[in-house]
Amino acid sequence: MENSKEGVGKIIEIDFSSYDFDSPLQRRAALMKIPPDRAVVRKYHAELLELFRREMTYRRADDSAEGEGESDCFEQIYWCALLLYLGGDPADVPLMWEGKQIDMDTAIGFDGEFLVGAGVEETIRYLEEYGQRDPAEYLKGMKASKMLDDLQRWERFRTNYFYPNTPLQENAPHS
């Protein structure tokens, strides 16, 4: 069952033109409008990719240039990654892998699970088919270590972290 906070089967409308994506606080406000709902996330896939790219740029930037209230925006890259995971498009993985490689913080904090929204085997197959050796090998290692065996538990944890008062979907692709 794919549903949004607005009601079962109802896809919400979000006017992203009213947000300044150059502002970390405005990006956070936009993220707050996107529920952890697969149908909604798929509808706004292009906007999520743009938000993710902006979060990558923000993470690469010098922290000393932060404006008031922006210091707590560092986790937005992970929030975007969760939503891209829910979208389940393996074509997003190379960009997400790049985001994971930004620095030591993202290397550690960016869960490998974010990369397998399309399913473990499907994602590895896609990455190998498109010559993305490093993320494919990384995911194979995670799989061999059984780190991808309980994606539902991981997804509940991550969704509850960013959306603490939202009922969760139980239809994630898992393999």
Side-chain angles (χ1 to χ4, degrees):
M1 171 171 77
E2 290 190 355
N3 60 354
S4 70
K5 293 191 303 188
E6 301 293 322
V8 175
K10 183 177 178 185
I11 301 295
I12 64 169
E13 295 297 323
I14 303 169
D15 179 12
F16 286 101
S17 67
S18 64
Y19 297 95
D20 175 7
F21 281 6
D22 288 333
S23 162
L25 295 174
Q26 286 286 301
R27 290 193 304 272
R28 179 179 12 182
L31 284 169
M32 291 174 140
K33 293 289 186 185
I34 306 170
D37 177 286
R38 285 178 169 74
V40 174
V41 167
R42 287 180 188 124
K43 179 178 180 173
Y44 295 112
H45 183 243
E47 290 84 357
L48 280 168
L49 286 172
E50 179 60 23
L51 284 166
F52 189 81
R53 287 182 186 98
R54 299 288 181 112
E55 293 307 325
M56 287 174 59
T57 299
Y58 177 72
R59 290 302 294 260
R60 288 182 177 123
D62 179 12
D63 289 343
S64 65
E66 290 179 344
E68 186 172 327
E70 293 179 4
S71 64
D72 61 347
C73 294
F74 71 96
E75 289 190 311
Q76 290 171 195
I77 193 168
Y78 310 128
W79 193 348
C80 286
L82 171 66
L83 294 170
L84 290 171
Y85 162 89
L86 292 173
D89 187 345
D92 297 343
V93 175
L95 180 65
M96 294 169 74
W97 178 253
E98 183 182 339
K100 182 171 177 51
Q101 306 303 312
I102 290 173
D103 58 25
M104 181 65 104
D105 289 336
T106 57
I108 294 168
F110 195 107
D111 299 345
E113 290 89 343
F114 286 132
L115 304 173
V116 295
V120 176
E121 294 301 327
E122 295 85 346
T123 302
I124 291 171
R125 191 170 27 258
Y126 176 89
L127 293 169
E128 289 177 336
E129 183 177 326
Y130 287 91
Q132 297 289 320
R133 183 180 175 273
D134 290 344
E137 291 302 314
Y138 176 79
L139 292 174
K140 286 179 186 178
M142 287 186 73
K143 181 181 174 194
S145 301
K146 302 195 179 298
M147 295 172 68
L148 300 173
D149 284 359
D150 194 354
L151 286 174
Q152 285 184 322
R153 188 179 122 265
W154 172 86
E155 183 180 323
R156 279 192 304 273
F157 167 76
R158 276 299 183 179
T159 303
N160 279 328
Y161 184 80
F162 289 109
Y163 299 93
N165 300 313
T166 302
L168 303 176
Q169 298 178 29
E170 295 296 336
N171 63 342
H174 303 288
S175 40

